[in-house]
Each structure stands twice: as C-alpha cells, then as structure tokens.
Amino acid sequence: RLDATGPVTAGLRSVAADDLALTSATDPVADAVAVPLPTGAKHLVVAGASAPGVLTWTARDADGTVLVDDRRVEIDPGTATRLKVPSKAVLLTAELERAHAWVSVEVGPPGLGVLPLRDVELSSLVPHVQPALR
C-alpha cells in the first residue's frame, strides 16, 4: 500500500522463477469487472476491501461454457483472498457488493503476470452525427 500527500506514480516489480513481472497501479473496483484471460494456471486475488462485502464471480471457457457459476466469496478489510481459477477459463466476470476492493488476476506459472482489473464502462457519451441539411 502506498499513501502520499501529493501525486505519485507507482508500480510493483516482482520476480518469480527468474521471471520479471511489472504491475501498474490501479483504482479499487466498485462494481462489475470483466477480463479476457489466457489458458493456463491463474488465481483471482481480492484485497484492500473498504468494508465487509461480497464478491460474486463467474468463469467461462472458449466455448462459453460456464466453469464457475456465480461463486460468492465474503471479503473483509485487512484481508486478502486468493481463489484458483480453472486453467481452461478465458473469461472472468466479477461483481462487488457493499464494498470497494482491489481485484487482480495472477497468471502463471510458468512465469508470473498480474492483470489489475478496473470497473467495466457500461455507458459512454457518443456524438450524434447526421447528414448536413442542404
């Protein structure tokens, strides 16, 4: 955890099995997240909850078959949870209730990659375009 009185740039550099992994800083997740994943070993990591809450997650394979269906996990401040994700999973979706938390996926071995998750953007402003009047 990094606390500062002014703007800073931060990241995490770690070495696992002689493989260098770099992770950028991110904001806590407040609602829903989704992330495409490579096949292979991976874990869902949830930490830094703002309050007691619930994380509900689902994992799907490349055919869209549900491998983990709406699994609910209680999260608490001051704790971290590390959950095994099926190796065939290529899409993970999750939703937080009653809390904000930092959510990421560890990918590996071999090596180690860390994918920080961010809230899914469900809406955006799109300019209205129409033919000009003559």
Side-chain angles (χ1 to χ4, degrees), residues 42-63:
K42 54 193 147 283
H43 290 86
L44 175 63
V45 180
V46 184
S50 60
V54 175
L55 173 82
T56 304
W57 65 285
T58 300
R60 297 179 185 270
D61 68 11
D63 297 325

Side-chain angles (χ1 to χ4, degrees), residues 10-29:
L12 173 66
R13 179 179 179 259
S14 57
V15 178
D18 295 328
D19 187 24
L20 176 64
L22 300 171
T23 305
S24 61
T26 186
D27 293 323
V29 172

Side-chain angles (χ1 to χ4, degrees), residues 16-125:
D18 295 328
D19 187 24
L20 176 64
L22 300 171
T23 305
S24 61
T26 186
D27 293 323
V29 172
D31 195 18
V33 294
V35 64
L37 301 168
T39 57
K42 54 193 147 283
H43 290 86
L44 175 63
V45 180
V46 184
S50 60
V54 175
L55 173 82
T56 304
W57 65 285
T58 300
R60 297 179 185 270
D61 68 11
D63 297 325
T65 304
V66 176
L67 303 172
V68 176
D69 189 18
D70 289 340
R71 183 166 300 159
R72 294 174 58 86
V73 178
E74 292 184 15
I75 58 173
D76 290 304
T79 65
T81 303
R82 189 170 182 257
L83 307 162
K84 185 172 175 74
V85 176
S87 62
K88 291 183 180 181
V90 296
L91 177 65
L92 185 136
T93 57
E95 188 169 351
L96 284 162
E97 299 172 31
R98 302 187 312 265
H100 297 34
W102 279 266
V103 182
S104 61
V105 175
E106 294 176 348
V107 179
L112 177 67
V114 180
L115 308 172
L117 305 183
R118 293 172 177 85
D119 287 322
V120 174
E121 292 294 331
L122 299 175
S123 64
S124 65
L125 298 175

